[in-house]
Amino acid sequence: MKISPRLRLMTAGAATLAVIGPLAWLWQASLLPSTYSVHDHGHGQGHGSHHDGRDLTSLIADPSREADVELTLTARRERFRLASGRQVDGYTLNGRSPGPQITAEVGQLVQVTLVNASVPDGITLHWHGIDVPAAMDGVAGVTQDAVAPGASFTYRFVADRAGTFWYHSHQMSHEQVIGGLLGAVVVRPERPAKAIDVVALTHLYQGVRTINGSDTDLSVPAPPGATARVRVINTDNGPIPMWVTGTPDTAPRLVAVDGTDLNGPGPVERAAILVTSGARADLEVRMPADGSPVRVQIGGPLSVVLGGGTLPPARRPAATLDLLTYGTPAARPLADARPDRAFRYEIGRRPGFLDGVPGLFWTVNGRLYPDIPVFTVAEGDVVRMTIANTSGEVHPMHLHGHRVLVLSRDGVPATGSPWWTDSLNVEDGESYEVAFRAGNPGVWADHCHNLPHAREGLMVHLMYEGITTPFLVGGPAGNSRE
Amino acid sequence: MKTTYKILAYVIAAEVAIQSMLIALGIAGLGKWVSEGNIFEKSVMEGEGDLPFPEVIGLMLHGVNGHIVIPALALILLIVSFFARIPGGAKFAGLVLALVAAQALLGGFSRGGIPWMGAVHGFNALLLFAAALYTGRRVAKTAPAQAPATAAA
């Protein structure tokens, strides 16, 4: 059969279109507008009425109240020296990273003025784990505009719960947090227990693990018989195990998780404790009577060494502590309350385009960003959420502005101490049921704290009916998508 | 068009060879970095671009090549095949594209918790290399088929 060159060309052209067309369509459909509101995306209840609600910027701490703890943090992008002398490129607050530790007593009003001296992309501060008023949450494009070079922003909130927390940038967070724009927050109870108090904020600077900015062991003097509380803060993108070695009868107790004390925590025998990204774990150790040291290993051989003398690092115990059964049960009214809302947050993965870039991306309830759910609640609602992960990778899920109570994992109910968390390690194949009370009106990010994952679309928002945000992703402030 | 087709097929084969070199370079650099006393862990893996050893470039380029460059080349090869008038040209370009797609998915999922796919990823690389090489080489062999087409023109 003879085919005319013209017909041949047309056939070839049609075939080309058949190949390119669907790809071009998928590509084009994935492009995000340069500026948009988080109200415009997602599907769920409560769409469309966001122009006549209460402005999120009015949700602040009592403006007439004087600050009890006040400080200024000045951010720079620069090359700096770790405590050990090693030089790294990143970000500093008041000339160092991690930034200054903020310490407050429960009930005090904390006021932090953030000044951007030289971070070109702009910055914010998010108070990880502290249920601050919505306007103080520090998420660029959602609760404020990124603070441009030369500008400043003042955060005010009441530290209403004693515990271990931290702060970090939430603008370009996948770059700025790993780059060091972060620090520890410790809220002390009114009557602190008599214990040696150690903060161990761990961070990875260009592949090098550190504790409080130093890539050497942190040695803390501790007399025999003393009690020490070690507050471990994981500021990285992956979960970190920690374990304790000492004399044969040294067994630490895990006394708090994510800023909430556990009920009746027993001794942890030969098990590692997993601290996921963004999470905190407070260990309590009683120093051996014979004066020998105790080693709290964080991640690898880097440790907090309590007391004097030498004690070599040990291998990670095979077992990992399961918080589902750890501690003693106590009343959990929230677990028994009838839920007003139930949400599913199913994490998967599939190939596709995200803002024009091809790749394997995370999905929420089967769809790629920005075609993801919005969780809409009314103030006072009891909310249940099922977080299921079939994506092939672990995801440390972090809800802003609230702490959640873990009810069950894979259908097995929690039978230990009430387990409150704000950063939940959801392994591949796991499904958690959690509950929380919607008691903090605002627009709140609910995302994976492996921060590149949030950038790759694992970012959902919890919205309160009648609350709107005037801020935009993109826009003149250059608020990043997160 | 025939020459473009042939060159594209050879470039894809060469890219597969480069990919194997890059990944081996990256892993070797990582091994050296770890033996110098550094620790490789989940957070380190996530911050790949931040790793302070020069061979990390191998890991990064392997990703860029595999996710963007090679799929784009394979797609262009298929489109060129529609115009190149090579008997079976589109069929072989389609095979190359299918192997490339499989390769990218196997690579992605192997890292994302299904390690055995990594083994298949390694073997599929050889299949792709062979397929791309053969796709280029057979252009010369099928050249006589051009004659009737020219006559028809």
Side-chain angles (χ1 to χ4, degrees):
Chain A
M1 189 180 74
K2 286 182 182 171
I3 302 167
S4 78
R6 200 176 159 162
L7 184 62
R8 181 183 285 279
L9 209 60
M10 280 170 64
T11 314
T16 304
L17 273 180
V19 171
I20 294 290
L23 282 176
W25 186 81
L26 284 173
W27 174 80
Q28 199 273 338
S30 81
L31 292 177
L32 294 166
S34 63
T35 298
Y36 60 90
S37 164
V38 290
H39 291 293
D40 298 339
H41 281 309
H43 49 83
Q45 312 102 314
H47 241 231
S49 63
H50 62 271
H51 294 294
D52 41 59
R54 180 174 175 188
D55 191 323
L56 175 146
T57 53
S58 66
L59 299 162
I60 55 172
D62 179 0
S64 61
R65 196 178 150 184
E66 261 185 60
D68 302 296
V69 177
E70 204 173 340
L71 74 158
T72 298
L73 296 175
T74 304
R76 289 186 178 81
R77 188 192 170 128
E78 61 185 334
R79 190 167 175 79
F80 61 97
R81 217 175 262 281
L82 297 180
S84 62
R86 190 191 286 262
Q87 292 224 326
V88 293
D89 287 312
Y91 304 87
T92 60
L93 287 158
N94 295 0
R96 62 198 202 88
S97 176
Q101 178 184 318
I102 298 172
T103 308
E105 198 174 284
V106 68
Q108 286 188 324
L109 195 142
V110 178
Q111 177 169 318
V112 177
T113 303
L114 174 67
V115 179
N116 183 355
S118 66
V119 183
D121 290 327
I123 52 173
T124 67
L125 288 182
H126 165 62
W127 309 94
H128 191 118
I130 305 177
D131 301 341
V132 300
M136 300 289 116
D137 195 41
V139 180
V142 179
T143 68
Q144 68 174 96
D145 279 331
V147 181
S152 70
F153 187 94
T154 300
Y155 296 93
R156 283 167 56 86
F157 58 88
V158 175
D160 61 352
R161 199 151 39 86
T164 311
F165 307 96
W166 62 297
Y167 61 86
H168 62 81
S169 181
H170 224 296
Q171 157 76 353
M172 301 291 286
S173 60
H174 62 293
E175 283 179 24
Q176 294 186 0
V177 177
I178 195 72
L181 228 164
L182 54 93
V185 181
V186 173
V187 182
R188 297 199 191 286
E190 244 172 82
R191 278 182 220 87
K194 242 187 112 184
I196 297 160
D197 203 286
V198 185
V199 170
L201 178 150
T202 185
H203 190 68
L204 201 66
Y205 291 94
Q206 295 182 323
V208 178
R209 179 145 303 289
T210 62
I211 294 177
N212 299 345
S214 169
D215 54 356
T216 54
D217 283 352
L218 174 65
S219 285
V220 181
T227 303
R229 186 184 184 114
V230 181
R231 303 167 183 267
V232 178
I233 307 173
N234 179 0
T235 62
D236 287 316
N237 289 321
I240 293 173
M242 63 168 176
W243 60 97
V244 174
T245 44
T247 55
D249 51 350
T250 301
R253 296 185 309 131
L254 178 63
V255 292
V257 166
D258 290 355
T260 303
D261 285 348
L262 295 178
N263 187 53
V268 178
E269 314 263 8
R270 283 184 294 281
I273 294 164
L274 198 71
V275 190
T276 201
S277 308
R280 287 86 60 216
D282 296 12
L283 275 181
E284 209 170 84
V285 183
R286 202 176 168 80
M287 295 305 295
D290 65 359
S292 59
V294 171
R295 182 180 278 272
V296 180
Q297 274 173 259
I298 299 173
L302 205 53
S303 311
V304 174
V305 181
L306 300 160
T310 53
L311 180 68
R315 288 173 66 154
R316 171 189 168 153
T320 303
L321 183 72
D322 188 356
L323 289 179
L324 213 56
T325 54
Y326 181 69
T328 316
R332 302 180 306 165
L334 183 62
D336 305 323
R338 208 174 61 82
D340 302 297
R341 314 259 177 167
F343 299 122
R344 287 190 69 77
Y345 196 148
E346 290 170 2
I347 305 160
R349 198 182 193 196
R350 71 168 169 83
F353 290 95
L354 179 63
D355 201 12
V357 179
L360 265 179
F361 293 111
W362 312 111
T363 57
V364 180
N365 297 350
R367 303 193 195 197
L368 288 171
Y369 188 89
D371 189 18
I372 52 170
V374 167
F375 300 132
T376 307
V377 295
E379 191 174 353
D381 278 351
V382 170
V383 183
R384 285 207 183 183
M385 190 182 284
T386 305
I387 309 170
N389 177 8
T390 54
S391 71
E393 228 183 274
V394 61
H395 296 292
M397 300 308 294
H398 172 51
L399 171 62
H400 288 212
H402 305 72
R403 54 179 181 158
V404 305
L405 178 69
V406 176
L407 302 178
S408 68
R409 182 182 60 224
D410 303 334
V412 180
T415 53
S417 157
W419 174 12
W420 291 93
T421 176
D422 55 59
S423 307
L424 182 62
N425 195 62
V426 186
E427 297 278 358
D428 179 39
E430 283 184 345
S431 172
Y432 275 94
E433 195 185 10
V434 301
F436 63 94
R437 190 175 290 279
N440 194 6
V443 177
W444 304 99
D446 186 358
H447 65 100
C448 178
H449 218 277
N450 186 338
L451 296 169
H453 288 186
R455 179 80 178 167
E456 289 162 7
L458 208 36
M459 164 65 78
V460 166
H461 291 94
L462 173 75
M463 297 197 187
Y464 279 65
E465 283 173 1
I467 306 290
T468 67
T469 174
F471 300 106
L472 300 168
V473 178
N479 298 319
S480 65
R481 163 167 57 80
E482 58 188 288
Chain B
M1 274 296 171
K2 270 199 174 59
T3 315
T4 312
Y5 179 93
K6 194 167 154 177
I7 290 172
L8 275 170
Y10 284 147
V11 168
I12 291 170
E15 272 280 51
V16 176
I18 290 168
Q19 282 294 78
S20 64
M21 291 162 71
L22 287 173
I23 198 70
L25 175 75
I27 298 294
L30 176 64
K32 179 163 176 274
W33 183 73
V34 168
S35 44
E36 284 164 358
N38 295 292
I39 313 282
F40 190 59
E41 49 168 311
K42 170 77 174 164
S43 293
V44 172
M45 207 159 99
E46 292 301 329
E48 183 179 277
D50 240 10
L51 286 175
F53 58 89
E55 297 84 2
V56 75
I57 191 78
L59 302 178
M60 291 165 71
L61 287 181
H62 188 86
V64 174
N65 251 344
H67 273 133
I68 297 174
V69 180
I70 301 177
L73 288 171
L75 202 61
I76 297 168
L77 178 73
L78 180 66
I79 291 165
V80 167
S81 77
F82 298 149
F83 297 91
R85 290 199 261 163
I86 300 160
K91 199 168 68 187
F92 277 88
L95 173 69
V96 168
L97 181 62
L99 289 171
V100 167
Q103 188 68 345
L105 289 177
L106 287 166
F109 285 116
S110 71
R111 248 191 82 158
I114 318 176
W116 64 262
M117 284 200 180
V120 185
H121 180 77
F123 182 68
N124 191 59
L126 296 179
L127 291 184
L128 174 58
F129 180 75
L133 207 60
Y134 181 71
T135 301
R137 280 180 65 84
R138 66 183 286 284
V139 175
K141 289 177 194 155
T142 56
Q146 199 178 3
T150 317

